[in-house]
Each structure stands twice: as structure tokens, then as C-alpha cells.
Amino acid sequence: MSDRTAPELEIAVTSPAGARVALDHGADRVELCTGLELGGLTPSAALVETVAAVGLPVQVLVRCRPGDFVYDAEEVALMAAEVRSVIASGASGVVVGALTADGGLDTDAVTRLAAAAQDAGRPVEVTLHRAVDLSADPVATAARLPALGLTRVLTSGGAPAAGQGLVRLAAMVEAAPGVQVMAGGGVRPADIPALAAAGVAAVHLSAKQRAEPRRGATWIPLGASGSSADQDTHFVTDPTVVAEARRMLAPRTRV
């Protein structure tokens, strides 16, 4: 009998408080962003510094706007600058991605963003984010990543939720040797054993819950995301979900 290393646990957070919850309940690292309700956007340098001080490795999402992953030259240049900024602020890695209009991997943009990370003068991890799941062929896209020098890929296997993408996740593990395949997208702790069995090396959860609004005055909508007073809030990290995910990731044995 020999131990099989348990998949790593990454928690998406938006604040130092979320990072402390992740640390206290057994996460291996965090992915930091703002605007989680928009799919995640690049955080400020000050936020990166503050979260890095919590003590876990911080992977920082670099995404300059919500919406699709097809970027023009100005947007790519902005994200390259953001990559350098968040690394200078203490990020252990960056989470990036870009597609062409026909659903292919935009290798020029991804190469430029990865090169910006490598300018740091120290080892920096580079993850391809869930743009892979919107690509025309997620497995073929994953197969291109070893040649680009990326560290890992965050993916649901092209499914609405990772628990529905097990077959493709397993295919991506085979297609991208040397790249860590991390299952993410609608992951619940109960999904983790099946994801581990598919061969992924990490799982990613947002473990989010809506924060209780603190307002005491009259509410009016101030943006597209605020459809009601109850919905017009932000997400925080749920310690119960993080702890349960850690429990489900206990190492298993095999012959």
C-alpha cells in the first residue's frame, strides 16, 4: 500500500478576511480577485499586499473587465502591466487567459502575459483561467499549455460545473503532462472524491456566501448587479465549506 497525495485545495477570496478563513481551515493557497459576482476582476496592489501578508501563497486573477475573453491590444497591454503590479505587490502567481474570436487560445496574448510574469526575477506560477472552458476544444487547448510554460489550468472540463466534466477533466490530465489540472467551477465538497478520482491535482472552490447588508437606510439600485436590496451585497468566504472541502481531501490509499 502507498499513499496517494491528496489534491491541493485553493479557495477564491476577495479580502484579507477570506484569506484568513482559508488559512485557518486548511487551504493550500488562495486565488485573489475582486468582483467575484462578475466572475472575478484584477484586485488593487494594496489588496494584494494585504492578502499576501496573511501567509498563504496568493494567486492573483488578472482580468481587466467582465465579459468575454477576447481582448484587443490595449487590453492585453493593460493586463501585462497588471501582472507586473500584482507580482511586485507579493503575488506568488497570476491567473490569466485570452481567446481568439473563433474560440482558440490566443497564444500571443497568453505568451505576453506569461512573459510579464517571468520579468519578476523570481519564480512565479502562471495559471490559465476558465477561458479554457469557453474555448472551442478545452482538451486541445490544455494540450498547448506545456509548450507555453504554464504552471496549471483552472477548468470545469468545459461543463457548467466541474462535477459534470469528469471525463474531459481526465482527458485534460492526459493531454497536458507537467501542467497541474485544477478542477473549478461550481465545485461542492461532495464533488471532491469524484474529481480526485478523475486525476486532478487540485480543486478550487469559491466557498462563498452572501454577506449580510450593513445598510440601515433606504435602498435604491446603483448598478446592474443590484436587482433588490437583499441581492445588492458582496460575497464572503464560508468557513464551513472550506473546512468540509479540506476534510473531503484527506489522502486516500491505493495498492
Side-chain angles (χ1 to χ4, degrees):
M1 302 280 288
S2 62
D3 288 339
R4 186 176 77 179
T5 302
E8 297 171 350
L9 176 61
E10 179 178 284
I11 301 296
V13 303
T14 60
S15 68
R20 288 192 294 272
V21 169
L23 176 65
D24 291 346
H25 294 279
D28 295 292
R29 60 177 176 263
V30 296
E31 182 199 41
L32 175 65
C33 66
T34 60
L36 194 57
E37 62 277 9
L38 299 173
L41 299 171
T42 309
S44 70
L47 180 55
V48 176
E49 290 175 2
T50 307
V51 170
V54 171
L56 282 176
V58 182
Q59 306 293 314
V60 176
L61 177 65
V62 174
R63 183 180 179 221
C64 64
R65 58 162 173 79
D68 62 50
F69 299 111
V70 181
Y71 299 109
D72 61 29
E74 186 173 45
E75 290 171 325
V76 174
L78 171 60
M79 289 190 290
E82 289 179 328
V83 165
R84 296 185 186 95
S85 173
V86 301
I87 291 171
S89 300
S92 300
V94 292
V95 185
V96 301
L99 300 176
T100 60
D102 62 358
L105 183 68
D106 187 340
T107 53
D108 289 342
V110 171
T111 298
R112 183 171 178 183
L113 297 174
Q118 292 157 4
D119 287 345
R122 60 177 172 87
V124 174
E125 297 176 317
V126 181
T127 299
L128 180 70
H129 60 46
R130 292 196 60 207
V132 67
D133 294 322
L134 276 70
S135 67
D137 187 336
V139 176
T141 299
R144 303 185 68 178
L145 302 184
L148 296 177
L150 269 67
T151 305
R152 68 177 60 86
V153 56
L154 170 61
T155 176
S156 64
Q164 302 169 23
L166 298 175
V167 172
R168 192 174 279 165
L169 284 167
M172 294 170 84
V173 171
E174 294 296 322
V179 173
Q180 184 186 74
V181 176
M182 177 166 60
V187 174
R188 300 166 301 173
D191 299 322
I192 288 175
L195 293 169
V200 302
V203 294
H204 168 105
L205 292 84
S206 59
K208 63 182 183 291
Q209 61 181 350
R210 286 192 177 274
E212 289 294 327
R214 300 172 184 172
R215 71 181 73 86
T218 300
W219 175 84
I220 59 171
L222 297 177
S225 65
S227 58
S228 71
D230 290 338
Q231 295 295 310
D232 190 9
T233 183
H234 61 286
F235 289 116
V236 295
T237 306
D238 186 335
T240 303
V241 175
V242 179
E244 179 63 7
R246 180 73 270 167
R247 189 183 72 79
M248 298 298 288
L249 280 165
R252 297 187 300 162
T253 59
R254 64 180 179 184
V255 178

